[in-house]
Amino acid sequence: MRLLLSLLLCLAGLHAPLAAADAKLNVFIWSEYLDPEVVKEFERAHGCKVTVDVYEEAESMLAKLQAGGAALYDVVVPPDHMVPTMVKLGLLAPLRPANLPNLKNLDPKFANPPYDRGNKFSVAYQWGTVGILVRPAAGKPVPETWGLVFDAQQQPGKFVLIDSVRDCLGAALKFKGHSLNTVEVAHLEEARDLVLAAKPRALGFDGSVGAKNKVVAKTASVAIVYSGEAARAMTDDASLRYIIPREGSQVWVDNLCIPAKAPHRDLAEKFINFALDAKTGARLSNFLQFATPNAAAKAFIKPEDLKNPAIYPPADVLAKLEFLEDLGAKTKLYDEAWTQIKAR
């Protein structure tokens, strides 16, 4: 009887639904940019396994997708200015609105962005700013300026430069009074020389997460970081400060997109729709401490985070911020300057 029962169970198994391990979702995302508990909940809800690969800067993400990653990953998270480039390169699949009913939850400010009209290829995930995380010296005020890294006379201690072409050069451009999106060769040479002068005084270049960790560990006193990393650092250490320099800085939006040859496109859209749920969106932003573009999620965001100017800057600060733009062929001017910076 036992033998017969075992045989029947084996035969039944041949016709059973696919096991969870056979349903996969491959996510390519910034480091420390996804709540593990949200991932586990999605796996349980959809009987799948989520694999997460990470990157530290957008340029390496783009290079990997161009090298074949567009056929490996199901979800990728590019910054706003890179979406048009990826569309032109044929790296993104169009989204199917019928599979994304939670699109209605997006704040109208993010529902029809200039870099992707009609959300044809992208959905806003988180937004934030670029600024400086500082460990103030006891009893000393912190000047709210990019001079903390670019002026040796104002440097309060060891610092870390952000390892990102547009973010690092953008900070130098702002310190010199120029636009983040300038294509004037003289402006870019000025910014390049400013970073080159700072380089020997710095601890080096690092991603936002690594730079934040150095300040938390007291290896560095100052680092150029993204706002969410700064907010999390200040949650752990109340003595730290995040400043958006008076010269101005960058505001950005990161987006959920599907690579053109994604092997699990249907599941990818389920994941994006899941992230757009009001409560899930709030859980993500509460965990990451970046600002949510999800209007329906606002009701579930921690009140202290909604009041935190490091996460949600006041209107007068926002007025001094710029979005990065897709510069097309002119992007090579930034790449050339960056190559020169890294080579010396």
Side-chain angles (χ1 to χ4, degrees), residues 258-306:
I258 299 176
K261 298 178 181 179
H264 311 105
R265 185 180 178 188
D266 291 345
L267 192 57
E269 288 180 330
K270 286 182 171 66
F271 181 82
I272 292 173
N273 195 61
F274 183 74
L276 285 168
D277 174 78
K279 289 186 177 180
T280 305
R283 286 175 61 193
L284 286 164
S285 291
N286 285 337
F287 176 81
L288 298 169
Q289 291 192 274
F290 282 106
T292 182
N294 188 327
K298 283 285 190 75
F300 307 102
I301 296 292
K302 294 176 184 175
E304 60 268 30
D305 282 358
L306 288 174

CSV table of all heavy atoms in Angstrom, one decimal, residues 258-306:
chain,number,residue,atom,x,y,z
A,258,ILE,N,11.3,48.3,-17.4
A,258,ILE,CA,11.5,47.0,-17.8
A,258,ILE,C,12.4,46.9,-19.0
A,258,ILE,O,12.2,47.6,-20.0
A,258,ILE,CB,10.1,46.3,-18.1
A,258,ILE,CG1,9.2,46.3,-16.9
A,258,ILE,CG2,10.3,44.9,-18.6
A,258,ILE,CD1,7.8,45.8,-17.2
A,259,PRO,N,13.6,46.2,-18.9
A,259,PRO,CA,14.5,46.1,-20.0
A,259,PRO,C,13.8,45.5,-21.2
A,259,PRO,O,12.8,44.7,-21.1
A,259,PRO,CB,15.6,45.2,-19.5
A,259,PRO,CG,15.6,45.4,-18.0
A,259,PRO,CD,14.1,45.6,-17.7
A,260,ALA,N,14.3,45.9,-22.4
A,260,ALA,CA,13.6,45.5,-23.7
A,260,ALA,C,13.4,44.0,-23.9
A,260,ALA,O,12.4,43.6,-24.4
A,260,ALA,CB,14.4,46.1,-24.8
A,261,LYS,N,14.4,43.2,-23.4
A,261,LYS,CA,14.3,41.8,-23.6
A,261,LYS,C,14.1,41.0,-22.3
A,261,LYS,O,14.6,39.9,-22.1
A,261,LYS,CB,15.6,41.3,-24.3
A,261,LYS,CG,15.8,41.9,-25.7
A,261,LYS,CD,17.1,41.4,-26.3
A,261,LYS,CE,17.3,42.1,-27.7
A,261,LYS,NZ,18.5,41.6,-28.3
A,262,ALA,N,13.4,41.7,-21.4
A,262,ALA,CA,13.2,41.1,-20.1
A,262,ALA,C,12.6,39.7,-20.2
A,262,ALA,O,11.6,39.5,-20.9
A,262,ALA,CB,12.3,41.9,-19.2
A,263,PRO,N,13.2,38.7,-19.5
A,263,PRO,CA,12.7,37.3,-19.7
A,263,PRO,C,11.3,37.0,-19.0
A,263,PRO,O,10.7,36.1,-19.3
A,263,PRO,CB,13.8,36.4,-19.1
A,263,PRO,CG,14.6,37.3,-18.2
A,263,PRO,CD,14.5,38.7,-18.8
A,264,HIS,N,11.0,37.9,-18.0
A,264,HIS,CA,9.8,37.7,-17.2
A,264,HIS,C,9.0,39.0,-17.2
A,264,HIS,O,8.7,39.6,-16.1
A,264,HIS,CB,10.1,37.2,-15.8
A,264,HIS,CG,11.1,36.1,-15.8
A,264,HIS,ND1,12.4,36.2,-15.5
A,264,HIS,CD2,10.9,34.8,-16.1
A,264,HIS,CE1,13.0,35.1,-15.6
A,264,HIS,NE2,12.1,34.2,-16.0
A,265,ARG,N,8.5,39.5,-18.3
A,265,ARG,CA,7.9,40.8,-18.4
A,265,ARG,C,6.6,40.9,-17.7
A,265,ARG,O,6.3,41.9,-17.0
A,265,ARG,CB,7.6,41.1,-19.9
A,265,ARG,CG,7.1,42.5,-20.2
A,265,ARG,CD,6.9,42.7,-21.7
A,265,ARG,NE,6.3,44.0,-21.9
A,265,ARG,CZ,5.9,44.4,-23.1
A,265,ARG,NH1,6.0,43.6,-24.2
A,265,ARG,NH2,5.4,45.6,-23.3
A,266,ASP,N,5.8,39.8,-17.7
A,266,ASP,CA,4.5,39.9,-17.0
A,266,ASP,C,4.7,40.0,-15.5
A,266,ASP,O,4.1,40.8,-14.8
A,266,ASP,CB,3.7,38.6,-17.3
A,266,ASP,CG,3.2,38.5,-18.7
A,266,ASP,OD1,3.2,39.6,-19.4
A,266,ASP,OD2,2.7,37.5,-19.1
A,267,LEU,N,5.7,39.2,-15.0
A,267,LEU,CA,6.0,39.3,-13.5
A,267,LEU,C,6.6,40.6,-13.2
A,267,LEU,O,6.3,41.2,-12.1
A,267,LEU,CB,6.9,38.1,-13.1
A,267,LEU,CG,7.1,37.9,-11.7
A,267,LEU,CD1,5.8,37.6,-11.0
A,267,LEU,CD2,8.1,36.7,-11.4
A,268,ALA,N,7.4,41.2,-14.1
A,268,ALA,CA,8.0,42.5,-13.8
A,268,ALA,C,6.9,43.6,-13.7
A,268,ALA,O,6.9,44.4,-12.8
A,268,ALA,CB,8.9,42.9,-15.0
A,269,GLU,N,5.8,43.5,-14.5
A,269,GLU,CA,4.7,44.5,-14.4
A,269,GLU,C,4.0,44.2,-13.1
A,269,GLU,O,3.5,45.2,-12.4
A,269,GLU,CB,3.8,44.4,-15.6
A,269,GLU,CG,4.5,45.0,-16.8
A,269,GLU,CD,3.7,45.0,-18.1
A,269,GLU,OE1,2.8,44.1,-18.2
A,269,GLU,OE2,3.8,45.9,-18.9
A,270,LYS,N,3.8,43.0,-12.6
A,270,LYS,CA,3.2,42.7,-11.3
A,270,LYS,C,4.0,43.4,-10.2
A,270,LYS,O,3.5,43.9,-9.3
A,270,LYS,CB,3.1,41.2,-11.1
A,270,LYS,CG,2.0,40.6,-11.9
A,270,LYS,CD,1.9,39.1,-11.6
A,270,LYS,CE,0.7,38.4,-12.3
A,270,LYS,NZ,0.7,38.4,-13.8
A,271,PHE,N,5.4,43.3,-10.3
A,271,PHE,CA,6.2,43.9,-9.3
A,271,PHE,C,6.1,45.4,-9.3
A,271,PHE,O,6.0,46.0,-8.2
A,271,PHE,CB,7.7,43.5,-9.6
A,271,PHE,CG,8.7,44.0,-8.6
A,271,PHE,CD1,8.9,43.4,-7.4
A,271,PHE,CD2,9.4,45.2,-8.8
A,271,PHE,CE1,9.7,43.9,-6.4
A,271,PHE,CE2,10.3,45.7,-7.9
A,271,PHE,CZ,10.4,45.1,-6.7
A,272,ILE,N,6.1,46.0,-10.4
A,272,ILE,CA,5.9,47.5,-10.5
A,272,ILE,C,4.6,47.9,-9.9
A,272,ILE,O,4.5,48.9,-9.1
A,272,ILE,CB,6.1,48.0,-11.9
A,272,ILE,CG1,7.5,47.8,-12.4
A,272,ILE,CG2,5.7,49.5,-12.1
A,272,ILE,CD1,7.8,48.1,-13.8
A,273,ASN,N,3.5,47.2,-10.3
A,273,ASN,CA,2.2,47.5,-9.7
A,273,ASN,C,2.2,47.3,-8.2
A,273,ASN,O,1.5,48.1,-7.5
A,273,ASN,CB,1.1,46.6,-10.4
A,273,ASN,CG,-0.3,47.1,-10.2
A,273,ASN,OD1,-0.6,48.2,-10.6
A,273,ASN,ND2,-1.1,46.3,-9.5
A,274,PHE,N,2.9,46.3,-7.7
A,274,PHE,CA,3.0,46.0,-6.3
A,274,PHE,C,3.7,47.2,-5.6
A,274,PHE,O,3.2,47.6,-4.5
A,274,PHE,CB,3.8,44.7,-6.1
A,274,PHE,CG,3.9,44.3,-4.7
A,274,PHE,CD1,2.8,43.7,-4.0
A,274,PHE,CD2,5.1,44.4,-4.0
A,274,PHE,CE1,3.0,43.3,-2.7
A,274,PHE,CE2,5.3,43.9,-2.7
A,274,PHE,CZ,4.2,43.4,-2.0
A,275,ALA,N,4.7,47.7,-6.2
A,275,ALA,CA,5.5,48.8,-5.6
A,275,ALA,C,4.6,50.1,-5.6
A,275,ALA,O,4.8,51.0,-4.8
A,275,ALA,CB,6.8,49.1,-6.4
A,276,LEU,N,3.7,50.2,-6.5
A,276,LEU,CA,2.8,51.4,-6.6
A,276,LEU,C,1.6,51.3,-5.7
A,276,LEU,O,0.9,52.3,-5.5
A,276,LEU,CB,2.3,51.5,-8.1
A,276,LEU,CG,3.3,52.0,-9.1
A,276,LEU,CD1,2.7,51.8,-10.5
A,276,LEU,CD2,3.6,53.5,-8.9
A,277,ASP,N,1.4,50.2,-5.0
A,277,ASP,CA,0.3,50.1,-4.0
A,277,ASP,C,0.6,51.1,-2.9
A,277,ASP,O,1.8,51.4,-2.6
A,277,ASP,CB,0.3,48.7,-3.4
A,277,ASP,CG,-0.7,48.6,-2.3
A,277,ASP,OD1,-1.9,48.5,-2.5
A,277,ASP,OD2,-0.2,48.6,-1.1
A,278,ALA,N,-0.4,51.7,-2.4
A,278,ALA,CA,-0.3,52.8,-1.4
A,278,ALA,C,0.5,52.4,-0.2
A,278,ALA,O,1.5,53.0,0.2
A,278,ALA,CB,-1.6,53.4,-1.0
A,279,LYS,N,0.2,51.3,0.4
A,279,LYS,CA,0.9,50.8,1.6
A,279,LYS,C,2.2,50.3,1.3
A,279,LYS,O,3.2,50.5,2.1
A,279,LYS,CB,0.0,49.8,2.3
A,279,LYS,CG,-1.3,50.4,3.0
A,279,LYS,CD,-2.0,49.3,3.8
A,279,LYS,CE,-3.2,50.0,4.5
A,279,LYS,NZ,-4.0,49.0,5.3
A,280,THR,N,2.4,49.6,0.2
A,280,THR,CA,3.7,49.1,-0.2
A,280,THR,C,4.7,50.3,-0.5
A,280,THR,O,5.8,50.3,-0.1
A,280,THR,CB,3.7,48.2,-1.4
A,280,THR,OG1,2.7,47.1,-1.1
A,280,THR,CG2,5.0,47.6,-1.7
A,281,GLY,N,4.1,51.3,-1.2
A,281,GLY,CA,4.9,52.4,-1.5
A,281,GLY,C,5.4,53.2,-0.3
A,281,GLY,O,6.5,53.6,-0.2
A,282,ALA,N,4.5,53.2,0.7
A,282,ALA,CA,4.9,53.9,2.0
A,282,ALA,C,5.9,53.0,2.7
A,282,ALA,O,6.9,53.6,3.3
A,282,ALA,CB,3.7,54.0,2.9
A,283,ARG,N,5.8,51.7,2.7
A,283,ARG,CA,6.8,50.9,3.4
A,283,ARG,C,8.1,51.0,2.8
A,283,ARG,O,9.2,51.1,3.5
A,283,ARG,CB,6.3,49.4,3.3
A,283,ARG,CG,5.2,49.0,4.2
A,283,ARG,CD,4.7,47.6,4.0
A,283,ARG,NE,5.8,46.7,4.3
A,283,ARG,CZ,5.7,45.4,3.9
A,283,ARG,NH1,4.7,44.9,3.3
A,283,ARG,NH2,6.7,44.6,4.2
A,284,LEU,N,8.2,51.1,1.4
A,284,LEU,CA,9.5,51.3,0.8
A,284,LEU,C,10.1,52.7,1.2
A,284,LEU,O,11.3,52.7,1.5
A,284,LEU,CB,9.3,51.3,-0.8
A,284,LEU,CG,9.0,49.9,-1.4
A,284,LEU,CD1,8.4,50.0,-2.8
A,284,LEU,CD2,10.3,49.1,-1.4
A,285,SER,N,9.3,53.7,1.1
A,285,SER,CA,9.9,55.0,1.5
A,285,SER,C,10.2,55.2,3.0
A,285,SER,O,11.2,55.8,3.4
A,285,SER,CB,9.0,56.2,1.0
A,285,SER,OG,8.9,56.2,-0.4
A,286,ASN,N,9.4,54.5,3.8
A,286,ASN,CA,9.7,54.5,5.3
A,286,ASN,C,11.0,53.8,5.5
A,286,ASN,O,11.8,54.2,6.4
A,286,ASN,CB,8.6,53.9,6.1
A,286,ASN,CG,7.4,54.8,6.2
A,286,ASN,OD1,7.4,56.0,6.1
A,286,ASN,ND2,6.2,54.2,6.4
A,287,PHE,N,11.3,52.7,4.8
A,287,PHE,CA,12.5,52.0,5.0
A,287,PHE,C,13.7,52.7,4.4
A,287,PHE,O,14.8,52.8,5.0
A,287,PHE,CB,12.4,50.6,4.3
A,287,PHE,CG,13.6,49.8,4.3
A,287,PHE,CD1,14.0,49.0,5.4
A,287,PHE,CD2,14.5,49.7,3.2
A,287,PHE,CE1,15.1,48.3,5.4
A,287,PHE,CE2,15.6,49.0,3.2
A,287,PHE,CZ,15.9,48.2,4.3
A,288,LEU,N,13.6,53.3,3.2
A,288,LEU,CA,14.7,53.9,2.5
A,288,LEU,C,14.9,55.4,2.9
A,288,LEU,O,16.0,55.9,2.8
A,288,LEU,CB,14.4,54.0,1.0
A,288,LEU,CG,14.2,52.6,0.3
A,288,LEU,CD1,13.7,52.8,-1.1
A,288,LEU,CD2,15.6,51.9,0.2
A,289,GLN,N,13.9,56.0,3.4
A,289,GLN,CA,13.9,57.4,3.8
A,289,GLN,C,14.3,58.4,2.7
A,289,GLN,O,15.0,59.4,2.8
A,289,GLN,CB,14.9,57.6,5.0
A,289,GLN,CG,14.3,57.0,6.3
A,289,GLN,CD,15.0,57.4,7.6
A,289,GLN,OE1,16.0,56.8,7.9
A,289,GLN,NE2,14.5,58.5,8.2
A,290,PHE,N,13.8,58.0,1.5
A,290,PHE,CA,13.7,58.9,0.4
A,290,PHE,C,12.3,59.4,0.2
A,290,PHE,O,11.4,58.8,0.9
A,290,PHE,CB,14.2,58.2,-0.9
A,290,PHE,CG,15.6,58.0,-1.1
A,290,PHE,CD1,16.2,56.8,-0.9
A,290,PHE,CD2,16.4,59.1,-1.4
A,290,PHE,CE1,17.6,56.6,-1.1
A,290,PHE,CE2,17.8,58.9,-1.6
A,290,PHE,CZ,18.4,57.7,-1.4
A,291,ALA,N,12.1,60.4,-0.6
A,291,ALA,CA,10.7,60.9,-0.7
A,291,ALA,C,9.9,60.1,-1.7
A,291,ALA,O,10.4,59.6,-2.7
A,291,ALA,CB,10.8,62.4,-1.3
A,292,THR,N,8.6,59.9,-1.4
A,292,THR,CA,7.8,59.1,-2.3
A,292,THR,C,7.1,60.0,-3.3
A,292,THR,O,6.6,61.1,-3.1
A,292,THR,CB,6.7,58.4,-1.5
A,292,THR,OG1,5.9,57.5,-2.4
A,292,THR,CG2,5.8,59.3,-0.7
A,293,PRO,N,7.0,59.4,-4.6
A,293,PRO,CA,6.3,60.1,-5.6
A,293,PRO,C,4.8,59.6,-5.7
A,293,PRO,O,4.0,60.0,-6.5
A,293,PRO,CB,7.0,59.7,-6.9
A,293,PRO,CG,7.5,58.3,-6.6
A,293,PRO,CD,7.8,58.3,-5.1
A,294,ASN,N,4.5,58.8,-4.7
A,294,ASN,CA,3.2,58.1,-4.6
A,294,ASN,C,2.2,58.9,-3.7
A,294,ASN,O,2.4,58.9,-2.5
A,294,ASN,CB,3.4,56.7,-4.1
A,294,ASN,CG,2.2,55.8,-4.2
A,294,ASN,OD1,1.1,56.2,-4.0
A,294,ASN,ND2,2.4,54.5,-4.3
A,295,ALA,N,1.3,59.6,-4.3
A,295,ALA,CA,0.4,60.4,-3.6
A,295,ALA,C,-0.4,59.6,-2.6
A,295,ALA,O,-0.7,60.0,-1.4
A,295,ALA,CB,-0.5,61.2,-4.5
A,296,ALA,N,-0.9,58.4,-3.0
A,296,ALA,CA,-1.7,57.6,-2.1
A,296,ALA,C,-0.9,57.0,-0.9
A,296,ALA,O,-1.5,56.7,0.1
A,296,ALA,CB,-2.3,56.4,-2.9
A,297,ALA,N,0.4,57.0,-1.1
A,297,ALA,CA,1.3,56.5,0.0
A,297,ALA,C,1.5,57.5,1.1
A,297,ALA,O,1.8,57.1,2.3
A,297,ALA,CB,2.6,56.0,-0.6
A,298,LYS,N,1.3,58.7,0.8
A,298,LYS,CA,1.6,59.8,1.8
A,298,LYS,C,0.9,59.6,3.1
A,298,LYS,O,1.4,59.9,4.2
A,298,LYS,CB,1.2,61.2,1.2
A,298,LYS,CG,2.2,61.7,0.2
A,298,LYS,CD,3.4,62.3,0.9
A,298,LYS,CE,4.3,63.1,-0.1
A,298,LYS,NZ,3.8,64.4,-0.4
A,299,ALA,N,-0.3,59.0,3.1
A,299,ALA,CA,-1.1,58.8,4.3
A,299,ALA,C,-0.5,57.8,5.2
A,299,ALA,O,-0.8,57.8,6.4
A,299,ALA,CB,-2.5,58.4,3.9
A,300,PHE,N,0.5,57.0,4.7
A,300,PHE,CA,1.1,56.0,5.5
A,300,PHE,C,2.6,56.2,5.8
A,300,PHE,O,3.3,55.4,6.4
A,300,PHE,CB,0.9,54.6,4.8
A,300,PHE,CG,-0.5,54.3,4.4
A,300,PHE,CD1,-1.0,54.4,3.2
A,300,PHE,CD2,-1.4,53.9,5.4
A,300,PHE,CE1,-2.3,54.2,2.8
A,300,PHE,CE2,-2.7,53.6,5.1
A,300,PHE,CZ,-3.2,53.7,3.8
A,301,ILE,N,3.1,57.4,5.4
A,301,ILE,CA,4.5,57.7,5.6
A,301,ILE,C,4.6,58.2,7.1
A,301,ILE,O,3.7,58.9,7.6
A,301,ILE,CB,4.9,58.9,4.6
A,301,ILE,CG1,4.9,58.4,3.2
A,301,ILE,CG2,6.3,59.4,5.0
A,301,ILE,CD1,5.9,57.3,2.8
A,302,LYS,N,5.7,57.9,7.7
A,302,LYS,CA,6.0,58.3,9.0
A,302,LYS,C,5.9,59.8,9.1
A,302,LYS,O,6.5,60.5,8.3
A,302,LYS,CB,7.4,57.9,9.5
A,302,LYS,CG,7.6,56.4,9.6
A,302,LYS,CD,9.0,56.1,9.9
A,302,LYS,CE,9.3,54.6,10.0
A,302,LYS,NZ,10.8,54.3,10.2
A,303,PRO,N,5.1,60.4,10.1
A,303,PRO,CA,5.0,61.8,10.2
A,303,PRO,C,6.3,62.5,10.4
A,303,PRO,O,6.5,63.6,9.8
A,303,PRO,CB,4.1,62.0,11.5
A,303,PRO,CG,3.3,60.7,11.6
A,303,PRO,CD,4.3,59.6,11.1
A,304,GLU,N,7.2,61.9,11.1
A,304,GLU,CA,8.5,62.6,11.3
A,304,GLU,C,9.3,62.7,10.0
A,304,GLU,O,10.1,63.6,9.8
A,304,GLU,CB,9.4,61.9,12.4
A,304,GLU,CG,9.7,60.4,12.1
A,304,GLU,CD,8.7,59.4,12.6
A,304,GLU,OE1,7.5,59.8,12.7
A,304,GLU,OE2,9.1,58.3,13.0
A,305,ASP,N,9.1,61.7,9.1
A,305,ASP,CA,9.8,61.8,7.8
A,305,ASP,C,9.2,62.9,6.9
A,305,ASP,O,9.9,63.6,6.2
A,305,ASP,CB,9.8,60.4,7.1
A,305,ASP,CG,10.8,59.4,7.6
A,305,ASP,OD1,11.5,59.8,8.5
A,305,ASP,OD2,10.8,58.3,7.1
A,306,LEU,N,7.8,63.0,6.9
A,306,LEU,CA,7.2,64.0,6.2
A,306,LEU,C,7.6,65.4,6.6
A,306,LEU,O,7.7,66.3,5.8
A,306,LEU,CB,5.7,63.9,6.3
A,306,LEU,CG,5.0,62.7,5.6
A,306,LEU,CD1,3.5,62.7,6.0
A,306,LEU,CD2,5.2,62.8,4.1
